[in-house]
């Protein structure tokens, strides 16, 4: 910033008056430091980096299982970059969530899309489903298969191990910051995220994954027996949960109405930093899109996408990059961006 080298007499007088009025103020070294919220444009405008994409497949010899992956990463960056791992919903693939993924990468993040064989796009057998006739009973059977569930949940710690190897050897050596990783997912991927965060089932079973600093669940599902406080009691890391007032599409018996998707947020431990975004008129497919909605007129999507992407970027800035301005914006700026298009709740976001 360039300052003028002259000050008018009026300005000097104002300085004198202000200085006299501050004679009893605390010295700078003892004054409270209040973080300034970042500008909303930081979270709504694309970032400066170009997006690169790499696809591959990991093989887990212990499970004799191939796990496809897609990594989007920023071009021409120096040093290791923070990471968001994403788990798709039932019937999805590593190709999902392209809009948000590319937006985050433009801001310097790496996004790792993990594909889960058995609950991925292969279940459609090449036939595009019709939302009016889709066999939800068959989908529920697939989603409830213990082998399918356990393999899906185990894919995440396996992926973290493989990412750790990639961070020190090969194309991504020195580019992946394994100390700044968040886990995220949509629908069945949200359940996968909740399990990685430490959710405990009624049987006492749990499969938490190490190495994550924050979690993001899109269309979360609560405990099947309704005891969300017990289910999420062991969660210790910050959580962003997002849903919509029309997000009632579900295979999980714990979700009968869109309001049921709010319950996991309220089940989180009271002292945990947490953010809830509830999109007004938002449905189950607003987050990552779906073959069920392609070609349909969805006038609410652009505004909802702006809110979703901004919330995720600010949350990652806050808890992967330790940015106090991002925490302040989550607490006080996100609701201003959302206006009437979403309701926002936060807990323990700012000191």
């Amino acid at each position: 910033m360039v300052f003028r080298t002259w000050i008018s007499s009026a300005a000097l007088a104002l300085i004198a008056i202000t200085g006299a009025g501050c004679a009893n103020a605390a010295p700078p070294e003892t004054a409270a430091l209040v973080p300034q919220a970042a500008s909303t444009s930081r979270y709504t405008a694309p970032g400066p980096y170009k997006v690169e994409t790499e696809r591959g497949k990991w093989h887990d010899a212990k499970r004799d299982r191939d796990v496809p992956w897609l990594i989007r990463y920023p071009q021409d960056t120096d040093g290791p970059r923070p990471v968001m791992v994403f788990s798709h919903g039932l019937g999805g693939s590593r190709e999902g969530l392209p809009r948000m993924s590319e937006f985050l990468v433009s801001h310097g993040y790496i996004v790792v899309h993990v594909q889960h064989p058995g609950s991925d796009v292969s279940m459609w057998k090449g036939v595009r489903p019709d939302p009016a006739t889709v066999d939800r009973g068959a989908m529920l059977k697939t989603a409830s298969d213990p082998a399918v569930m356990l393999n899906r949940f185990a894919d995440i710690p396996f992926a973290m191990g493989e990412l750790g190897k990639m961070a020190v050897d090969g194309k991504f050596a020195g580019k992946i910051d394994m100390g700044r990783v968040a886990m995220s997912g949509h629908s069945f991927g949200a359940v996968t995220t909740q399990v990685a965060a430490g959710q405990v089932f009624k049987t006492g079973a749990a499969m938490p994954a190490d190495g994550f600093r924050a979690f993001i669940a899109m269309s979360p599902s609560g405990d099947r027996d309704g005891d969300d406080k017990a289910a999420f009691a062991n969660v210790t890391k910050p959580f962003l949960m997002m849903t919509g007032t029309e997000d009632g599409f579900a295979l999980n018996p714990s979700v009968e109405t869109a309001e049921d998707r709010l319950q996991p947020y309220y089940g989180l431990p009271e002292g945990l930093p947490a953010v809830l975004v509830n999109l007004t008129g938002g449905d189950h497919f607003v987050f990552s899109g779906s073959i069920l909605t392609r070609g349909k007129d969805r006038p609410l999507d652009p505004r909802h996408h702006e809110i979703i992407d901004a919330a995720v970027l600010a949350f990652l800035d806050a808890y992967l990059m330790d940015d106090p301005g991002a925490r302040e914006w989550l607490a006080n700026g996100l609701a201003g961006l959302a206006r009437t298009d979403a309701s926002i709740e936060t807990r323990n976001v700012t000191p």
Side-chain angles (χ1 to χ4, degrees), residues 204-222:
M207 293 180 64
D210 293 332
F212 294 109
R213 290 182 57 172
F215 296 90
I216 301 170
M218 309 167 205
S219 299
S221 296

Side-chain angles (χ1 to χ4, degrees), residues 9-10 32 49-50 63 79 115 128 166 169 202 227 272 314 324:
S9 57
Y49 296 106
K50 292 183 178 180
R63 296 182 293 158
Q115 184 165 327
R128 175 175 173 171
M166 295 173 78
D169 185 37
K202 199 70 173 180
D227 192 352
L272 197 73

Side-chain angles (χ1 to χ4, degrees), residues 13 21 33 104-105 119 135 149 173 189 214 223 248 250 275 277 296 308 313:
L33 297 177
L104 295 176
V105 173
S119 59
D135 188 344
M149 294 180 68
D223 181 69
V275 179
V277 176
K296 299 193 175 185
I308 293 166
L313 177 58

Side-chain angles (χ1 to χ4, degrees), residues 70-72 81-87 96-105 108-114 160 163 176-177 180-186 193 212 214-218 240 242 308-309 311-313 315-316 320:
L70 181 153
I71 297 178
R72 291 192 175 94
R81 306 304 306 172
V83 180
M84 185 182 84
V85 175
F86 178 75
S87 172
L97 204 79
R99 182 207 73 258
M100 181 195 296
S101 178
E102 292 182 2
F103 177 75
L104 295 176
V105 173
Y109 286 89
I110 293 173
V111 181
V112 179
H113 301 255
V114 179
M160 286 292 282
L163 281 175
I176 298 174
D177 188 344
R180 299 180 187 272
V181 186
M183 175 66 201
S184 66
H186 173 241
T193 299
F212 294 109
F215 296 90
I216 301 170
M218 309 167 205
L240 166 62
M242 299 189 289
I308 293 166
D309 294 353
V312 172
L313 177 58
F315 185 78
L316 294 177
L320 292 191

Side-chain angles (χ1 to χ4, degrees), residues 116-199:
H116 305 283
S119 59
D120 61 356
V121 69
S122 64
M123 64 181 291
W124 302 121
K125 295 180 172 61
V127 179
R128 175 175 173 171
D130 181 339
T133 61
V134 65
D135 188 344
R136 297 195 188 191
M139 293 176 68
L140 178 58
K141 184 177 180 180
T142 298
S144 301
D145 184 316
V148 169
M149 294 180 68
L150 290 174
N151 268 318
R152 171 182 266 267
F153 299 156
D155 285 342
I156 301 307
F158 169 68
M160 286 292 282
E162 294 302 303
L163 281 175
K165 296 175 185 177
M166 295 173 78
V168 297
D169 185 37
K171 180 172 184 174
F172 290 98
K175 297 182 179 180
I176 298 174
D177 188 344
M178 293 301 296
R180 299 180 187 272
V181 186
M183 175 66 201
S184 66
H186 173 241
S187 195
F188 203 0
V191 175
T192 306
T193 299
Q194 294 164 203
V195 170
Q199 180 178 352

